[in-house]
Amino acid sequence: MTSIPYPRWVFALGAVALLAPTTVAGPATADDDRRSAAVVRTDQGAVRGGVAADHLSFQGIPYARPPLGPLRWAPPQPGPIWTGVRDATRPGAACAQLKGLPMDAPSESEDCLYLNVTTPRSAARTPRPVMVWLHGGDFRFGSGDGYGGQRLAVGGDVIVVTLNYRLGALGFLAHPALAGADGITGNFGLQDQQAALRWVRRNAAAFGGDPGNVTVFGQSAGATSVCAQLAAPAAAGLFHRAIMQSNSCANPVQTRADAVGAAEEFARRVGCTAPAAVAACLRAADPARLVETAGYPGAGMDLGPVVDGRTLPVDPAYALTTGRLHPVPVLTGMNRHESRLVVWGMERSGLNCPKPPKPDQEPESCPLTDEQYRDQVRAMFGDRAEEVLAHYPRDAAQPASATLGAVLTDHDYAEPFYSAAMAFARRVPTFAYEFADEDAPFFTEGPEPTFPVGAYHCAELPYLFTVDYAETLTPTQRRLSDTMVRTWTDFARTGRAGWPRLGGGSSYVRVLAGDGGSGTNDFAAAHKYGFWRSFDR
């Protein structure tokens, strides 16, 4: 069987200080409630959003100029100014990308720097906390509008902002030929996130939010983005709390040398090889060509945040160990069976079937055999594979796919998460959780997995956001969702999570599962933390 760490498809004027948006009636019709709208005046101009029974939503607000033409591979520029009232009832285009996970959609657009704001419909006595969501997707996929903020906004009485940022090569290509006058290139996606956070600081009050109480939160690559912003000098003061889901600051980002090497290889694949004309060639390339060249994870094109000396002066992992991160309270956690999603992708690829699919065939979904499990471990861990197999022997009571999922979860997620959480706890108030709903709703798109995927990577998202890609929550899961919404928004409001913080001898990791979520476990033992901590040293 071919060993692939990731299958190709498996994979974000001053404001008028109003405490609540003004609601105005639209044209009189039989469906007056549907046509009613909310108007808010931002520092760029007025926007008209939509009104639902319990919340207001403003979509497709441009927080920066479209990064087109000479602004491709340039820092984000201040957004447009308009007169009149701009329609904000539909999302803006997603940034250029291939099709990733079921929540993602392909796009060829570079005009994509938009954000969305969701607020409770009720008036507030005081400004509400603001939560700014950075979506995941391996820095290749995703958009802000796929995550409806009404569950958090209404359930937690907060303002929720979701946003797009440039992805893949268009967001992170660090080619020297594209460098500005300061010699810096790459990290444009991170700069987009900072531009959105500056927009929030200027405009939060107009939506009833508190610009002095902003929480930045993200999942997967979004959590890596939060780590990067914690280490980014330009992000200082733009947020006051941080939530990281299913990724940690313990995993290093690219070095400049590696990023430049990847960028030069990328240019060659695009066909831009003449040294004197590389920049012009890349700038003239069709965005679809750039997206296709970047490809999927595992295709050899590592595009993401880079230590560039300015946006990221140092690696966030190094900044964590040396205390050079912005000192804000942290809520961090992971899902109990993170990597079962990757293993499901392996099954979906069909490469472990007796007859691997031909290029023009839709692959079957075949479970791993015991021998294939051992082959995968040997391919991934080389001459130390037997140590891994000794700690993770095949259990006849579980499918081989689940066992491989445990190996990858503990190595790729549990050890980095727990190490980073304990490092945070030595410096700032830190609260840790493990999402563990064994029956979390799975994607509605694609065939059913051949094994229980449990609390897989992305499984917690339907508990926090309104999404249309997953099965409906059961009544028990709705109670867990209510608990998580209350926890996330209480943390945004107070900097506390409602359970003991890490540090000072405490290793408390809150388990979120079951009827509302409760309890703790010996996280280190359950995920063989000691073994993996020594394994990678």
Side-chain angles (χ1 to χ4, degrees), residues 349-411:
S349 73
L351 294 179
N352 58 323
C353 292
K355 291 184 178 180
K358 296 179 181 179
D360 59 343
Q361 289 180 325
E362 179 67 22
E364 298 180 64
S365 186
C366 299
L368 267 68
T369 66
D370 288 0
E371 186 57 36
Q372 287 172 337
Y373 160 69
R374 289 187 284 271
D375 286 347
Q376 278 286 346
V377 171
R378 289 169 182 138
M380 293 172 179
F381 297 102
D383 58 6
R384 302 197 66 181
E386 297 309 313
E387 295 177 64
V388 177
L389 291 170
H391 280 80
Y392 295 84
R394 280 290 301 116
D395 180 353
Q398 283 201 335
S401 295
T403 307
L404 181 59
V407 171
L408 299 182
T409 294
D410 293 354
H411 177 264

Side-chain angles (χ1 to χ4, degrees), residues 12 63 67 71-77 113 139 164-176 178-180 182-196 198 221 224-229 231-235 252-260 263 302-316:
Y63 66 85
L71 295 184
R72 177 190 279 184
W73 294 306
Q77 300 300 303
L113 299 186
F139 296 103
N164 300 343
Y165 55 92
R166 281 174 283 181
L167 301 168
L170 289 162
F172 295 94
L173 192 69
H175 201 290
L178 301 173
D182 58 6
I184 303 299
T185 188
N187 286 334
F188 302 110
L190 297 182
Q191 295 173 32
D192 294 342
Q193 296 168 6
Q194 294 169 5
R198 290 192 294 271
T224 301
S225 296
V226 174
C227 293
Q229 301 303 349
V253 302
Q254 293 183 97
T255 65
R256 180 160 178 78
D258 287 345
V260 168
D302 189 7
L303 297 167
V306 53
V307 179
D308 62 3
R310 176 162 296 193
T311 305
L312 277 183
V314 298
D315 193 307

Side-chain angles (χ1 to χ4, degrees), residues 125-501:
R125 292 181 179 272
T126 59
R128 294 175 165 108
V130 182
M131 302 185 70
V132 180
W133 174 250
L134 306 180
H135 69 76
D138 196 56
F139 296 103
R140 300 167 192 258
F141 315 115
S143 63
D145 63 271
Y147 303 88
Q150 53 265 43
R151 186 167 291 170
L152 285 162
V154 176
D157 196 35
V158 298
I159 309 298
V160 178
V161 179
T162 66
L163 60 102
N164 300 343
Y165 55 92
R166 281 174 283 181
L167 301 168
L170 289 162
F172 295 94
L173 192 69
H175 201 290
L178 301 173
D182 58 6
I184 303 299
T185 188
N187 286 334
F188 302 110
L190 297 182
Q191 295 173 32
D192 294 342
Q193 296 168 6
Q194 294 169 5
L197 286 165
R198 290 192 294 271
W199 185 96
V200 168
R201 182 171 61 184
R202 299 193 309 271
N203 292 288
F207 293 88
D210 182 357
N213 187 3
V214 175
T215 296
V216 63
F217 68 132
Q219 179 263 354
S220 193
T224 301
S225 296
V226 174
C227 293
Q229 301 303 349
L230 283 166
L238 294 178
F239 59 94
H240 312 91
R241 327 214 189 283
I243 301 175
M244 287 160 280
Q245 303 168 210
S246 298
N247 228 330
S248 76
C249 295
N251 295 315
V253 302
Q254 293 183 97
T255 65
R256 180 160 178 78
D258 287 345
V260 168
E264 291 174 341
E265 173 60 21
F266 178 87
R268 284 192 289 271
R269 293 188 187 186
V270 173
C272 299
T273 56
V278 170
C281 177
L282 287 171
R283 293 189 184 281
D286 184 78
R289 170 69 171 153
L290 300 175
V291 168
E292 186 65 35
T293 300
Y296 287 89
M301 284 284 97
D302 189 7
L303 297 167
V306 53
V307 179
D308 62 3
R310 176 162 296 193
T311 305
L312 277 183
V314 298
D315 193 307
Y318 176 75
L320 174 61
T321 62
T322 58
R324 295 172 65 179
L325 297 174
H326 304 313
V328 302
V330 165
L331 172 62
T332 181
M334 60 167 279
N335 298 350
R336 181 166 290 177
H337 310 109
E338 294 275 5
S339 293
R340 288 189 185 183
L341 182 67
V342 171
V343 179
W344 178 59
M346 290 178 180
E347 290 191 355
R348 283 279 290 122
S349 73
L351 294 179
N352 58 323
C353 292
K355 291 184 178 180
K358 296 179 181 179
D360 59 343
Q361 289 180 325
E362 179 67 22
E364 298 180 64
S365 186
C366 299
L368 267 68
T369 66
D370 288 0
E371 186 57 36
Q372 287 172 337
Y373 160 69
R374 289 187 284 271
D375 286 347
Q376 278 286 346
V377 171
R378 289 169 182 138
M380 293 172 179
F381 297 102
D383 58 6
R384 302 197 66 181
E386 297 309 313
E387 295 177 64
V388 177
L389 291 170
H391 280 80
Y392 295 84
R394 280 290 301 116
D395 180 353
Q398 283 201 335
S401 295
T403 307
L404 181 59
V407 171
L408 299 182
T409 294
D410 293 354
H411 177 264
D412 295 347
Y413 288 92
E415 189 279 323
F417 149 69
Y418 198 61
S419 294
M422 297 303 288
F424 272 115
R426 290 191 287 271
R427 305 183 186 278
V428 296
T430 302
F431 303 87
Y433 73 87
E434 180 181 28
F435 177 82
D437 188 352
E438 298 272 350
D439 300 312
F442 199 61
F443 303 120
T444 54
E445 178 183 315
E448 289 289 323
T450 66
F451 66 101
V453 292
Y456 61 96
H457 191 64
C458 301
E460 87 283 15
L461 296 176
Y463 295 74
L464 296 169
F465 296 97
T466 303
V467 300
D468 60 6
Y469 59 80
E471 300 161 0
T472 304
L473 298 180
T474 66
T476 296
Q477 290 168 339
R478 282 307 304 246
R479 289 190 287 274
L480 175 57
S481 171
D482 291 344
T483 296
M484 293 174 64
V485 165
R486 187 167 57 251
T487 298
W488 264 240
T489 57
D490 282 353
F491 178 80
R493 183 170 284 104
T494 68
R496 297 184 296 274
W499 61 76
R501 55 188 280 188

Side-chain angles (χ1 to χ4, degrees), residues 6-83:
Y6 297 97
R8 75 176 193 98
W9 66 272
V10 170
F11 297 143
L13 289 158
V16 178
L18 305 175
L19 289 184
T22 302
T23 302
V24 297
T29 69
D31 192 4
D32 193 55
D33 184 66
R34 180 179 64 83
R35 290 185 177 273
S36 64
V39 173
V40 168
R41 185 167 298 281
T42 74
D43 66 342
Q44 296 161 260
V47 293
R48 178 185 288 111
V51 177
D54 55 2
H55 69 277
L56 310 177
S57 63
F58 304 83
Q59 302 180 83
I61 303 175
Y63 66 85
R65 286 178 59 190
L68 304 172
L71 295 184
R72 177 190 279 184
W73 294 306
Q77 300 300 303
I81 303 294
W82 58 85
T83 59

